[in-house]
Amino acid sequence: MSKTTRATDHLKKAGVAFSVHSYDYDPNADSIGLQAAQALGEPPSRVLKTLMTLVDGKPVCVIVPSDDEVSMKKLAAAAGGKSAEMMKPAEAERVTGYKVGGISPFGQKRRVPVVMEEAALAHDYVFMNGGQRGLQVKLDPRQAREVLDAKSAPLVTDR
């Protein structure tokens, strides 16, 4: 497994401090994000998942803790739209240039708006996909938000 991807190149060029962590990716896991958290020995709230969505038909990248679900209503409001839905996997791969299970918010083929769960910013570090299955980058969530030019907002469903 290569530890250099478009995502890690993007972070290096932006001058972001990060470390790379690999784990055994399980394509049959019920939740890829939860499986990553368990494999890394980290709480799911620190391992963020990258989801590709459509807000009013336009692509938006969403970053939330792996143990949470996105509220489409909250996402639409945060992105300044009326409705939101999940993007189909094939379209997500086409827009990002990454395979599902390895979609990183960094270094995507096409730059799209990014919205990040604001609760993730409370951590001193988080893990995010590093651009391939089984690869995570550990970094400061505030630096991630800055380099992605992401909005932060409450995005998850109430538990």
Side-chain angles (χ1 to χ4, degrees):
M1 171 186 296
S2 172
K3 294 200 178 193
T4 301
T5 65
R6 284 195 330 273
T8 58
D9 284 345
H10 181 99
L11 290 168
K12 281 179 195 156
K13 284 180 188 147
V16 174
F18 68 97
S19 57
V20 177
H21 302 264
S22 55
Y23 67 96
D24 289 329
Y25 173 82
D26 178 1
N28 300 315
D30 289 337
S31 167
I32 293 167
L34 291 177
Q35 189 255 328
Q38 185 178 16
L40 294 166
E42 291 286 336
S45 61
R46 279 194 194 269
V47 180
L48 308 182
K49 58 186 173 184
T50 305
L51 303 171
M52 296 305 295
T53 64
L54 295 169
V55 175
D56 293 346
K58 294 186 170 73
V60 174
C61 179
V62 181
I63 303 166
V64 296
S66 59
D67 59 344
D68 282 318
E69 294 296 320
V70 177
S71 162
M72 292 299 161
K73 193 173 193 174
K74 289 178 183 178
L75 169 60
K82 292 184 186 333
S83 68
E85 63 184 310
M86 292 301 297
M87 191 181 283
K88 288 183 173 37
E91 189 177 358
E93 290 181 351
R94 186 179 53 76
V95 169
T96 65
Y98 293 118
K99 293 280 183 206
V100 169
I103 294 178
S104 176
F106 308 107
Q108 291 188 1
K109 205 163 69 173
R110 187 169 145 207
R111 189 166 166 83
V112 302
V114 180
V115 185
M116 186 175 186
E117 168 56 45
E118 70 180 9
L121 299 172
H123 295 292
D124 53 344
Y125 68 87
V126 293
F127 288 83
M128 298 169 88
N129 194 287
Q132 68 187 30
R133 295 170 178 166
L135 192 72
Q136 296 278 317
V137 291
K138 178 181 175 183
L139 71 169
D140 180 321
R142 291 160 295 282
Q143 280 197 304
R145 180 183 62 182
E146 189 176 317
V147 76
L148 292 167
D149 193 23
K151 286 184 181 176
S152 54
L155 299 173
V156 299
T157 57
D158 299 324
R159 292 181 188 204

